[in-house]
Amino acid sequence: MSVVTGNLGEKAMRWSIGFGLLASALALATPVLAQDARMTATAAPAEPTAIPLNTGGVKGQAAPEAWFQQYGVAMTRNVTSATLRPFLPDPAKATGAAVIVAPSGGFLMLSMENEGWRVAKALADRGIAAFVLKYRLKPTPADMGGFEQSVTAMFAGAAQPQRRMSPDKAIAGLADQIADARAAVALVRTRATEWKVDPARVGMVGFSAGAMTTMATALAAPDTHLAFIAPIYGSMEAVKVPADAPPLFAVLAANDPLFANKGFGLIESWQKAGKPVEFHLYQAGGHGFGLGKTGTTSTGWFEDFMHWLDANKMLARR
C-alpha cells in the first residue's frame, strides 16, 4: 500500500540507543537467515576511497574500530573517526544529484553493507552520486562476547509499546552524528565540481538509526540546506518543522515491529507545515529491509524514490 500526501543529554542518547539496537536486531532477524545470527569478527575491508571527515573522536572510547559479519553482511562498531566513501556514477549518466547515505545500527554498530554500500551502488547505477557516511558511534567492549552482552542488555524493554522515540527529543544525544553529517554535506559541496555534483541538489537518506540521524540533521542543522531527506523505516513521531524544511520522502512497512501502529505524526507535521511530503506505507517488509524484502511490496520503495526525485526535478541533467 502506498499513501501519498502533501505537495511535493545522555538520557536521550540511552533512550535512542535502546530503540536503535532493537531496530538493528529486527533489521536482520529473519527466519531465512537465522543460521547466520552469530556475530563473527572479520578483518576490516579495504576502503581506499573513504575520506576522513576530521570531526573529532568519541569521549571514553578506548577500543579500536572493529568489523564483523552477521546475517551474511559486513558491519562495524566502535567508530571513532567518521569517514565518507564516494560511489560515483558513470560520468555519462551523472544527473548532478547527490545523496549522503546513513546506515542503521542503533548508534552502537553500522550495517555498512546492507544499508550503505548496496544502496549507494544502486543510486550510482541511476546516475546519482552517493556517499556512504560512516558516522561516529557509542563505545562498546573490545571483545566480541562483551559486545554481544551489551547489545542484548540494551534490547531489554525496548519493544514496549509505550516507549516512543522522537527526533526532536533525540537531538540532544546526537551531537557527534549531526556534526559528521554536517561535515559530509560540506565536503560534497566543496568537491562538487570534481564529483560532477550540483551543490543545490545534495540530499540525505537514512535507515532506522540513520533515519534518526537524517531527521536530526534536518531539524537541528537547517543551515546544511539539504535538498531533500528520506528517512527509511524511521521514527514517525511528530516534530517541529523548520521554516525552510526540505522535501521529505518517507517509507515504512505496516508490519514494522518498531515504528508501525504509532501513528504518522512526522508526515502530518510536514503536511501541516505546508512542506512537500510523500509517504509510502507498504503492506509488509518488517524492519530493516534495506533495498526491499523479497516477496513483499517493500521492494518497490527504491523505484518510488527514483520517481519522486525525478518528479521534483532532482534528476534533471544540467
Side-chain angles (χ1 to χ4, degrees):
M1 173 183 180
S2 294
V3 178
V4 182
T5 61
N7 62 335
L8 283 208
E10 181 179 356
K11 181 177 180 181
M13 177 59 87
R14 288 200 304 268
W15 185 39
S16 62
I17 287 174
F19 277 106
L21 283 171
L22 177 63
S24 177
L26 294 171
L28 299 170
T30 62
V32 174
L33 299 176
Q35 68 273 20
D36 299 318
R38 188 165 60 94
M39 297 177 180
T40 304
T42 61
E47 293 188 284
T49 61
I51 303 168
L53 291 175
N54 300 315
T55 47
V58 174
K59 184 178 180 180
Q61 176 59 277
E65 181 177 315
W67 288 75
F68 63 98
Q69 275 207 342
Q70 187 180 31
Y71 302 104
V73 297
M75 306 183 77
T76 191
R77 61 193 182 92
N78 289 336
V79 175
T80 57
S81 298
T83 65
L84 193 68
R85 181 177 173 183
F87 288 77
L88 302 177
D90 180 333
K93 296 196 305 182
T95 62
V99 177
I100 309 296
V101 181
S104 79
F107 304 108
L108 289 190
M109 49 190 167
L110 291 175
S111 183
M112 295 296 292
E113 184 174 355
N114 187 48
E115 296 166 339
W117 307 332
R118 291 177 181 174
V119 174
K121 289 175 182 177
L123 288 164
D125 285 344
R126 302 298 288 266
I128 301 169
F131 303 85
V132 177
L133 176 61
K134 185 169 71 173
Y135 52 87
R136 286 173 289 170
L137 301 173
K138 299 294 287 184
T140 63
D143 66 288
M144 185 59 72
F147 171 59
E148 291 176 331
Q149 290 177 12
S150 68
V151 170
T152 300
M154 291 301 296
F155 290 156
Q160 296 175 5
Q162 67 270 26
R163 299 282 295 276
R164 305 173 76 94
M165 177 171 59
S166 165
D168 279 339
K169 294 180 179 178
I171 286 172
L174 298 178
D176 285 353
Q177 291 75 23
I178 294 170
D180 295 344
R182 276 183 184 274
V185 174
L187 177 62
V188 171
R189 288 191 172 129
T190 297
R191 298 180 64 172
T193 300
E194 173 189 350
W195 287 333
K196 297 183 175 7
V197 165
D198 179 353
R201 287 188 283 157
V202 180
M204 190 167 178
V205 174
F207 299 81
S208 195
M212 180 64 74
T213 299
T214 298
M215 290 303 308
T217 301
L219 297 175
D223 54 302
T224 55
H225 299 296
L226 290 167
F228 55 88
I229 54 174
I232 311 300
Y233 44 83
S235 169
M236 285 287 139
E237 294 299 308
V239 298
K240 183 178 180 180
V241 181
D244 57 349
L248 182 148
F249 178 94
V251 169
L252 188 69
N255 65 341
D256 186 314
L258 189 62
F259 296 123
N261 303 314
K262 294 183 178 180
F264 307 113
L266 174 64
I267 308 307
E268 293 168 358
S269 295
W270 239 254
Q271 187 178 31
K272 289 176 181 177
K275 302 300 180 181
V277 56
E278 180 156 318
F279 173 44
H280 292 264
L281 178 66
Y282 293 100
Q283 176 180 319
H287 189 85
F289 46 76
L291 286 172
K293 183 178 179 180
T294 302
T296 74
T297 54
S298 67
T299 55
W301 82 262
F302 188 78
E303 286 302 321
D304 289 333
F305 181 46
M306 292 299 102
H307 179 66
W308 180 79
L309 288 175
D310 190 35
N312 281 274
K313 304 188 186 315
M314 291 293 169
L315 304 185
R317 290 179 174 83
R318 298 178 184 176

